[in-house]
Amino acid sequence: MAHTDHQTMRRVLRREIAGTLGLLTDEHDFRAMRRYRSFTFDDHATYLKQVEAVLKARAAQGTHTTLALFDPEDYAAYCADAGLDPEAPTSRTRFTAELAATGPTIPYDGQPLATLVPALVDEAVRQATWEYATTVLSRLGPCPTCGEDIGRAAFTRASELLVRILDTAPPGDRHLVCSVSGPPDTLVSVLHGDQDGDDGIHLDEAEALEFTSVLALGLATRSPGGLVLRTSAPGTADRVYGWRLRSGGLEALTASEVFDAYCTDVETGDLISPESDVDYCEPPDLGDKDTAPGHRH
C-alpha cells in the first residue's frame, strides 16, 4: 500500500513539473543541428510532427510546456563558453533551460504547431528589437549641455506620446506600426490595442514596452521613420492616419500622404487599389507640446 501511495504521489508531482522544449523552427537551423551525431532526426517535417505529438501527449497528461526558439549558433557559443560537449543531450537540456529563463518563450495550449511556430518567431523578433532599442538608448548617455539622460528622457516622451495617440483615437480596436530607419536595419514595431466593454483599451505589456522603446529610439537619435494608426470598429469604415518622425518630433501626415503610402507598392512603386471601407485621413491634433521636438540640445 505504501509503495502504491508513493507511486501516486510521484505521478502527481510529475504533472506539476513544467517543461520547456527548444524548437528548431526552420530548415536552416535544423540542418545546422544535424552536424551533431547525437541529434538523430534527418527530416525537418518529421521532426515537427514528432514535436507536436510530444506536446499533445504532455498536455493530455496535464503537464504544462513552453516552447523556446533553439538557435544552433547560440547553442554552440553557449557550449564553448560553459565548457560543455555540444554532442551531449544534457548540454542541449541545459541550454534549453537557459532559454526558458532568458529567451523568448510561448506556452503550448493545444494550438497546432503551424500556428505556434510563427508566433514564436514573432516573439523572438519582438524581444530582439526591444533589446537592441534599449541598448542603444542606454548608450546615448547624458546630454553634454544639461546632463539629462537622453535615452530616459526620450522613453518618457515616447510613453506620453503613445498615451496621447491612443486617447485621441476614435472608438475601436487600434493597430499601430512604428518604423525607425537607421544602421544597421530598419526597426519595425507593432502594437495591438483591443477595445474592452468600458471604452478602455487593452494592451499587451511586452508589445507596449517594445513599441515605446522603438519610438523613443527614433526620437532620441532624430532618425527618419513613421508611425501609423489604424482603428477598426463594427459598422464603420476603418480609419488610417499617421505621422512622420522628423527632427526628434512627430509631424502629421496629410490624408493624401497616408493614401499614397498605403496604395503604393514599396518595391515596384506601382499603384495598389485602395481597400474598400477604409478612410485615409489626417490625424487628430496631439497639441504642440506633444508633437514638437523634445530634448533640444
Side-chain angles (χ1 to χ4, degrees):
M1 176 66 70
H3 179 68
T4 302
D5 289 342
H6 289 164
Q7 286 182 326
T8 301
M9 286 187 287
R10 288 169 185 167
R11 281 197 297 269
V12 172
L13 287 173
R14 277 196 292 269
R15 286 198 298 268
E16 297 188 11
I17 298 175
T20 302
L21 191 150
L23 184 64
L24 298 162
T25 58
D26 60 46
E27 188 74 39
H28 177 268
D29 287 345
F30 180 83
R31 287 198 302 269
M33 283 303 294
R34 291 195 62 200
R35 77 182 78 163
Y36 304 117
R37 294 186 304 275
S38 58
F39 186 78
T40 57
F41 291 95
D42 56 12
D43 178 75
H44 189 230
T46 302
Y47 161 80
L48 292 177
K49 289 180 181 178
Q50 294 299 320
V51 166
E52 190 155 27
V54 169
L55 292 172
K56 289 180 178 178
R58 287 176 57 85
Q61 296 168 359
T63 303
H64 176 76
T65 309
T66 57
L67 294 176
L69 194 66
F70 195 104
D71 186 293
E73 291 186 6
D74 289 346
Y75 172 65
Y78 172 82
C79 290
D81 292 341
L84 299 175
D85 177 10
E87 281 285 0
T90 54
S91 298
R92 291 197 286 274
T93 301
R94 287 182 58 176
F95 177 66
T96 301
E98 185 80 10
L99 291 177
T102 62
T105 62
I106 58 173
Y108 174 74
D109 294 323
Q111 311 97 314
L113 208 55
T115 301
L116 287 172
V117 168
L120 181 57
V121 172
D122 288 346
E123 178 65 15
V125 171
R126 183 202 61 75
Q127 180 165 319
T129 300
W130 171 76
E131 289 177 349
Y132 175 79
T134 53
T135 298
V136 175
L137 286 171
S138 67
R139 290 176 177 172
L140 293 176
C143 172
T145 303
C146 69
E148 183 178 22
D149 186 289
I150 298 174
R152 185 178 297 113
F155 187 87
T156 300
R157 182 164 145 67
S159 301
E160 294 170 349
L161 281 171
L162 177 58
V163 170
R164 184 67 177 150
I165 289 169
L166 293 172
D167 285 347
T168 58
D173 295 338
R174 277 78 154 169
H175 179 84
L176 298 94
V177 178
C178 180
S179 61
V180 174
S181 301
D185 297 305
T186 297
L187 293 184
V188 179
S189 181
V190 178
L191 178 61
H192 304 276
D194 297 327
Q195 184 159 12
D196 59 31
D198 300 324
D199 293 332
I201 295 296
H202 173 73
L203 300 175
D204 179 271
E205 290 186 8
E207 274 191 5
L209 181 60
E210 177 216 354
F211 188 92
T212 307
S213 299
V214 171
L215 177 57
L217 180 63
L219 297 174
T221 59
R222 298 175 177 264
S223 300
L227 192 159
V228 176
L229 170 66
R230 180 170 184 154
T231 60
S232 304
T236 63
D238 286 8
R239 297 189 66 184
V240 179
Y241 54 80
W243 301 260
R244 65 170 56 87
L245 273 67
R246 173 169 290 178
S247 301
L250 293 182
E251 180 181 282
L253 296 172
T254 65
S256 60
E257 287 174 326
V258 177
F259 179 89
D260 289 344
Y262 266 78
C263 301
T264 303
D265 188 287
V266 177
E267 295 182 356
T268 65
D270 296 335
L271 293 178
I272 303 172
S273 298
E275 298 180 65
S276 59
D277 296 324
V278 174
D279 290 337
Y280 304 96
C281 49
E282 294 185 11
D285 183 16
L286 299 180
D288 292 338
K289 177 179 179 297
D290 292 315
T291 55
H295 198 93
R296 299 174 184 272
H297 300 314

